Amino acid sequence: MQEVVLFLLLLGVLSGGQALHLIHLPAMSKVAENSPPETSVHMFAVKLSASLSPVVPGFPLIINSSPLTRAFRVNWLSDTDFEVVTTGMEQLDFEEGPHIFDLQIYVKDDVAVTDLQVLTVQVTDVNEPPEFQGNLAKGLDLYIVEGTKPGFVYQVEAFDPEDTSQNLPLSYLLISPSKNFRMSANGTLFSTTEFDFEAGHSSYHLIVEVRDSQGLGASTELHVNIVNINDEIPRFTNLTHMYTIPEELSPGIIVAHITAEDPDDRGFTSFLLYSITTVNSYFMINQLTGAIQVARRIDRDAGELRQNPIISLEVLVKDRPSGGQENRKQITFTVEDINDNPSTCTKFTFSIMVPERAARGTSLLDLNKFCFDDDSEAPNNRFNFTTPSGVGRGSRFLQDPAGSGKIVLIGDLDYENPSNLAAGNKYTMIIQVQDVAAPYYKNNIYIYILTSPENEFPLVFDSPSYAFAVSELSPPRTQVGRVQATDKDFPQSRITYSISAGGASQQYPNIFWINPQTGELQLVTKADYETIPVYILRIQATNSEDSSSVTVTVNIIEENDEKPICTPNSYFLAIPVDLKVGTNIHNFKLTCTDLDSSPRSFRYSIGAGNINSHFTFSPNAGSNVTSLILATRFDYASGLDKIWNYKLLVYITDDNLLSGRKRAGALVETGTVTLSISVIPHPTTIITTTPKPRITYQILRKNVYSPSAWYVPFVITLGSMLLLGLLVSMIVLLAKAIHRHCPCKTEKHKKTLVKKVEMKNTKREVMVETMQMNTVFDGEATDPVTGAIYEFNSKTGARKWKDSLTQMPKWKESSPQGAAPRRPVPQEGTRTPRSTDKERDGLSIKVQAEDAGLGPRSQDSMPSTPKNRNSAFTRGASPKRHPEK
């Protein structure tokens, strides 16, 4: 701190001229403890420098204090007058705080001329009144439980700030004396009576004063509250015990209000809790208000209430949820019956089936067996029936006696009666069942009376028998005729027709079919007059109640539908070339028959094949037997006839008895016969033969692929690929076995492939294995170790020495003087150490060609002849050393 003061004084001297300095400083001043803010401590002035520069705003100020404090600051009074005042930011306490403060006041003008002085402030002691500590200084609430015996209540304590050792006595007293309390001189508060919360005051207000030895004092307030305890049972305030309520009240409706009060709470029922101790499901109580409400539907007419309409409950009131005081009360509810159930029936729709021949006076329905009223008491459970109304009931039905609900038949229900048919034989009655007491509930009852028909009339056909005719040429599904049966009973039921007998032929069990709904008789297939000319059928008609049968005769109308049949149907004849005209050829005859034509109706004609009309039949009409006649002679000599084999197609038609006009419109049938005739030439006759055409049969086989057989080519392809893979693998295995076991080398190469080359240095022996290869060497390079030139193949990497074997590096023996370092000789089974990649490439030649001039040397260091050179690959990265002999 002294260094800072000296620095500031030196700075003021060096600023030049007359220095800026503080007047009335340094100085010493006093201030009382606990002084309020803005209390004046010391006034001083500033003498300006020679330049009369004003003090910089904000100066002078307190730049430091010892001890450090924020209790003081400098206020401006004028441009040169200032005052040190208290700030109130820190309390000046003589008893607990510092007594002296050194304040360094620093001033500065506009030309940076400064001055620094020290103001010493001394805090003086002031007599202070006693003080209450903590909450007691602001007033304190005390609590005394009612019924507590008179005695000690509370010990009031205060302290004197001037008495730091707490040796000076303080005196206490009550400012407002009370008959219920007293206070001793040392501050002990006593109660003088036993308090009852319900009988007296619930709180008391006391003022306590404390004084020191010099008469200075302080006061505080004590609020003594009497604590109410639960010592009184609640009391019910309403005296009603019996309640009458109607049934069917809505849930939530309040039917009673139980009130009570608690003397401990002075009538505030909100602190009481109500409950119903009796087990019941009809009522619930609001535990805070005591209101009893309907919990669920109260039905006087069901369950136990139908026999006993009285409900008894016990209500419990308590002044706290658990423990405390409680009281009980019995109440009773009587449930009154009301007409809340309308008269009803087990069903409101009745359907009655009455036979059409039912007698008048027949009882049809008694509604009393089905209707009832659930109300428990009369007249709420009484009901009656109104007069029936409805369609068609007027002269047919009656309620007898009136209002009884008994329905009786009084009219005719004949089903075939036109008036009943107009009504549809259906009758509707509407009767109301209603209460005899208000509000007169009603329900409609619907009665449907249906007339049940009876079988009064038989089922009969409109004809006792039927006869129909149909041509034998009629196609299937041709209508033959129709039968019809009727029944006078109503309602008309569907009639079904069927063939019960007849109609069978030789090929079919029945050639007729009848429509089961319409009775229409149809052909199933063609009829054949020649087989069965007349069919007798038995047709049966059936409905839901009866059945009837009738005979139907079907006559088949004959038609010319059969072709003539002749014997023989085909025949071969051979005749001489010189056969006379008019001759019956080999006495050949045709005999024809027709099931539906006369023998005189046949007519014969020859179709294609009768070239030059050489052949005819006699007679050609009017008979069923005819002969084959040669009509004209053969003429091969002139060239009129050229063929020797005739194939005749003979037509037999059954229309000879028809005139030309009728023949055009009538049905005519034609049969055919095939005749083959060969003409035998005379032996001297040159036979000109026509070669028969040669028929070549070409069988075309076509493989048609079906999409559904997709798996066939897939399986074939997959199997082929598997077999091919298996075959290839077997071939590879076989080749390997042959290569491994077959001795394929010549006698020349059976010699040892590896020869030893002895160098001058017996300790360094190198084995070089070569293989003869025809390799093209397209590059040259110099071996970095030996300096020899070698050729190489840029693609395969094969190498050979370019010059003679004299360029091979000679292994020098190690000099004893160490002039030339000797390369280490590898032990057996190890490799020569490698120096660099270039050195390895220079000495480790993978493939060398024998014919390139590089080969193993003999023992006398001369290159070996081709005879004793064995081709092989150089194995390893460097030459191997043979063991010494």
Side-chain angles (χ1 to χ4, degrees):
M1 179 62 66
Q2 293 177 356
E3 288 80 358
V4 174
V5 173
L6 292 175
F7 172 74
L8 292 177
L9 290 175
L10 180 60
L11 184 62
V13 172
L14 294 177
S15 61
Q18 296 179 357
L20 175 73
H21 65 276
L22 297 171
I23 302 175
H24 307 303
L25 288 176
M28 177 178 287
S29 181
K30 294 182 180 181
V31 63
E33 65 174 332
N34 299 325
S35 295
E38 300 298 328
T39 300
S40 179
V41 178
H42 182 72
M43 297 182 68
F44 65 92
V46 176
K47 183 178 181 181
L48 300 179
S49 63
S51 62
L52 300 179
S53 297
V55 177
V56 176
F59 290 87
L61 53 82
I62 301 172
I63 62 172
N64 200 359
S65 64
S66 178
L68 189 64
T69 183
R70 295 185 299 168
F72 306 98
R73 72 165 178 264
V74 178
N75 285 349
W76 276 55
L77 299 179
S78 66
D79 291 340
T80 57
D81 297 324
F82 303 93
E83 181 183 21
V84 177
V85 297
T86 59
T87 62
M89 298 175 66
E90 292 184 6
Q91 186 72 25
L92 298 176
D93 191 348
F94 181 84
E95 289 77 19
E96 295 183 0
H99 297 170
I100 297 175
F101 294 92
D102 291 331
L103 306 180
Q104 296 178 358
I105 299 175
Y106 176 66
V107 64
K108 177 181 179 182
D109 61 9
D110 284 344
V111 293
V113 179
T114 62
D115 189 17
L116 177 66
Q117 298 294 335
V118 176
L119 173 64
T120 301
V121 179
Q122 183 178 3
V123 180
T124 60
D125 186 19
V126 177
N127 184 25
E128 299 175 82
E131 295 180 0
F132 293 99
Q133 294 181 334
N135 293 332
L136 187 59
K138 301 177 182 179
L140 188 65
D141 287 328
L142 301 177
Y143 296 91
I144 300 176
V145 178
E146 67 170 327
T148 302
K149 299 299 182 180
F152 174 80
V153 175
Y154 184 74
Q155 177 65 50
V156 179
E157 292 183 355
F159 76 97
D160 189 353
E162 307 299 330
D163 184 13
T164 56
S165 59
Q166 299 291 328
N167 293 325
L168 298 177
L170 299 176
S171 60
Y172 300 87
L173 69 156
L174 291 175
I175 299 301
S176 55
S178 173
K179 63 178 181 179
N180 299 312
F181 299 95
R182 68 178 180 85
M183 179 168 283
S184 64
N186 62 357
T188 303
L189 180 64
F190 295 93
S191 62
T192 58
T193 60
E194 183 178 341
F195 299 99
D196 186 1
F197 183 86
E198 291 77 22
H201 296 287
S202 60
S203 64
Y204 298 89
H205 180 70
L206 304 178
I207 298 177
V208 178
E209 186 179 37
V210 58
R211 295 177 182 176
D212 60 8
S213 57
Q214 298 181 10
L216 293 180
S219 63
T220 186
E221 294 182 357
L222 296 179
H223 297 279
V224 181
N225 300 295
I226 307 303
V227 178
N228 184 22
I229 62 174
N230 190 16
D231 57 349
E232 300 287 340
I233 64 171
R235 295 193 296 267
F236 290 99
T237 57
N238 62 329
L239 303 178
T240 305
H241 294 272
M242 302 291 295
Y243 298 90
T244 301
I245 59 172
E247 64 172 329
E248 299 296 344
L249 291 177
S250 300
I253 293 180
I254 298 176
V255 295
H257 204 111
I258 305 301
T259 58
E261 63 180 9
D262 187 356
D264 292 324
D265 290 338
R266 295 188 177 182
F268 293 100
T269 57
S270 58
F271 295 101
L272 298 177
L273 300 176
Y274 300 88
S275 62
I276 297 176
T277 60
T278 306
V279 177
N280 84 102
S281 59
Y282 295 108
F283 301 100
M284 61 182 178
I285 190 170
N286 189 312
Q287 65 175 353
L288 298 178
T289 64
I292 298 179
Q293 299 171 297
V294 177
R296 70 176 184 91
R297 179 188 177 195
I298 301 176
D299 189 0
R300 169 69 174 81
D301 311 311
E304 58 185 11
L305 293 180
R306 190 174 184 90
Q307 304 299 327
N308 182 17
I310 298 176
I311 302 174
S312 297
L313 303 176
E314 182 185 68
V315 178
L316 172 67
V317 59
K318 299 192 299 181
D319 56 10
R320 62 182 60 183
S322 60
Q325 304 293 332
E326 64 181 31
N327 200 355
R328 300 172 186 266
K329 178 180 181 180
Q330 294 288 336
I331 60 174
T332 301
F333 290 96
T334 302
V335 182
E336 291 185 341
D337 181 41
I338 62 173
N339 187 18
D340 58 330
N341 294 311
S343 300
T344 186
C345 304
T346 55
K347 60 179 183 177
F348 293 96
T349 302
F350 296 88
S351 180
I352 304 173
M353 188 70 70
V354 182
E356 62 176 320
R357 289 184 285 187
R360 290 179 173 83
T362 301
S363 177
L364 303 181
L365 179 65
D366 186 0
L367 294 175
N368 292 283
K369 297 179 181 179
F370 304 95
C371 299
F372 58 90
D373 193 328
D374 279 337
D375 287 315
S376 57
E377 297 179 357
N380 297 329
N381 57 2
R382 304 285 178 85
F383 59 90
N384 57 16
F385 300 93
T386 61
T387 302
S389 63
V391 178
R393 59 92 198 163
S395 59
R396 298 179 180 87
F397 310 100
L398 182 66
Q399 184 179 196
D400 187 25
S404 64
K406 298 180 180 180
I407 310 302
V408 179
L409 175 65
I410 60 172
D412 181 19
L413 296 181
D414 184 13
Y415 206 96
E416 291 76 28
N417 190 318
S419 62
N420 294 340
L421 286 175
N425 286 293
K426 298 179 181 179
Y427 312 98
T428 303
M429 298 176 60
I430 302 176
I431 297 179
Q432 289 183 332
V433 55
Q434 68 176 14
D435 290 343
V436 299
Y440 306 106
Y441 291 116
K442 297 180 181 180
N443 277 316
N444 291 335
I445 301 174
Y446 299 90
I447 303 173
Y448 300 97
I449 300 176
L450 307 177
T451 302
S452 174
E454 297 182 354
N455 189 16
E456 300 178 278
F457 302 97
L459 179 64
V460 296
F461 285 90
D462 56 0
S463 176
S465 63
Y466 295 88
F468 305 113
V470 64
S471 171
E472 64 175 330
L473 298 180
S474 298
R477 304 192 67 175
T478 300
Q479 181 176 351
V480 178
R482 183 176 180 180
V483 299
Q484 185 175 3
T486 56
D487 189 348
K488 294 182 180 179
D489 284 318
F490 284 89
Q492 294 286 337
S493 59
R494 186 177 68 177
I495 299 175
T496 303
Y497 300 92
S498 62
I499 301 175
S500 60
S505 66
Q506 294 179 357
Q507 293 83 10
Y508 299 96
N510 203 324
I511 68 169
F512 299 98
W513 174 79
I514 190 169
N515 190 314
Q517 280 78 34
T518 63
E520 181 180 307
L521 189 64
Q522 298 179 4
L523 283 175
V524 175
T525 184
K526 284 186 177 181
D528 189 7
Y529 175 84
E530 288 73 22
T531 303
I532 301 176
V534 178
Y535 291 90
I536 299 177
L537 310 177
R538 193 68 180 171
I539 306 298
Q540 183 176 11
T542 305
N543 60 11
S544 58
E545 298 175 345
D546 206 351
S547 64
S548 180
S549 299
V550 68
T551 300
V552 177
T553 302
V554 180
N555 297 307
I556 307 303
I557 300 174
E558 183 183 10
E559 301 286 354
N560 184 19
D561 60 337
E562 299 289 341
K563 294 181 180 181
I565 300 174
C566 300
T567 55
N569 182 258
S570 63
Y571 203 76
F572 176 78
L573 298 171
I575 61 175
V577 69
D578 55 354
L579 186 66
K580 293 182 180 181
V581 176
T583 302
N584 181 199
I585 300 173
H586 289 289
N587 293 323
F588 179 79
K589 293 183 179 180
L590 282 179
T591 302
C592 301
T593 58
D594 192 339
L595 295 178
D596 54 7
S597 298
S598 169
R600 295 185 302 107
S601 63
F602 298 129
R603 179 167 56 88
Y604 305 93
S605 60
I606 300 176
N610 191 12
I611 300 174
N612 294 330
S613 303
H614 288 299
F615 306 99
T616 186
F617 281 96
S618 178
N620 62 356
S623 175
N624 66 328
V625 180
T626 184
S627 301
L628 179 63
I629 306 296
L630 181 62
T632 60
R633 68 181 181 86
F634 298 102
D635 187 2
Y636 291 98
S638 63
L640 179 63
D641 292 318
K642 296 181 179 180
I643 64 173
W644 296 86
N645 296 302
Y646 293 86
K647 188 173 183 180
L648 305 181
L649 185 62
V650 181
Y651 296 99
I652 302 94
T653 308
D654 58 2
D655 62 348
N656 185 50
L657 299 180
L658 299 176
S659 63
R661 180 175 59 82
K662 293 182 179 180
R663 188 179 300 169
L667 180 62
V668 177
E669 297 291 340
T670 301
T672 59
V673 173
T674 303
L675 298 179
S676 299
I677 301 175
S678 178
V679 179
I680 302 174
H682 195 274
T684 60
T685 304
I686 299 175
I687 302 175
T688 304
T689 60
T690 303
K692 295 183 178 180
R694 178 176 295 177
I695 301 175
T696 302
Y697 296 94
Q698 181 179 3
I699 299 174
L700 177 62
R701 295 181 179 178
K702 186 177 181 181
N703 184 16
V704 180
Y705 171 72
S706 175
S708 61
W710 60 269
Y711 57 89
V712 175
F714 173 76
V715 173
I716 293 174
T717 304
L718 182 60
S720 302
M721 294 176 64
L722 293 176
L723 289 176
L724 181 60
L726 180 61
L727 180 60
V728 171
S729 63
M730 291 179 65
I731 292 173
V732 172
L733 293 176
L734 180 60
K736 288 183 178 180
I738 292 174
H739 179 73
R740 185 166 54 249
H741 299 289
C742 180
C744 57
K745 296 182 180 180
T746 63
E747 200 65 33
K748 177 181 178 180
H749 291 87
K750 289 183 179 180
K751 297 180 179 180
T752 306
L753 296 178
V754 180
K755 290 190 177 287
K756 301 178 182 179
V757 180
E758 295 183 358
M759 308 300 291
K760 289 184 178 181
N761 184 3
T762 58
K763 294 184 179 180
R764 298 181 58 86
E765 295 178 351
V766 179
M767 181 185 68
V768 179
E769 298 178 356
T770 61
M771 173 178 282
Q772 183 176 354
M773 296 180 63
N774 294 326
T775 306
V776 177
F777 299 92
D778 55 2
E780 293 182 357
T782 301
D783 184 81
V785 178
T786 63
I789 298 174
Y790 64 91
E791 295 177 347
F792 64 92
N793 187 295
S794 60
K795 293 184 178 179
T796 64
R799 302 175 186 181
K800 73 173 183 177
W801 298 112
K802 182 177 181 182
D803 298 331
S804 63
L805 292 176
T806 57
Q807 295 186 13
M808 288 291 292
K810 295 182 179 181
W811 304 101
K812 297 182 180 181
E813 293 183 358
S814 59
S815 175
Q817 288 81 12
R822 179 182 176 182
R823 298 181 65 183
V825 179
Q827 300 297 324
E828 184 178 359
T830 62
R831 295 181 181 267
T832 305
R834 303 179 184 180
S835 57
T836 61
D837 291 342
K838 292 184 178 180
E839 182 180 354
R840 182 183 64 245
D841 293 341
L843 296 178
S844 303
I845 303 173
K846 277 190 172 183
V847 180
Q848 295 179 345
E850 180 182 335
D851 57 353
L854 178 62
R857 290 176 179 264
S858 61
Q859 293 182 0
D860 55 357
S861 302
M862 295 298 290
S864 63
T865 61
K867 222 175 211 184
N868 51 19
R869 293 176 186 173
N870 294 328
S871 59
F873 284 108
T874 301
R875 293 180 175 86
S878 60
K880 295 183 180 179
R881 178 176 176 233
H882 290 271
E884 296 181 357
K885 292 184 179 180

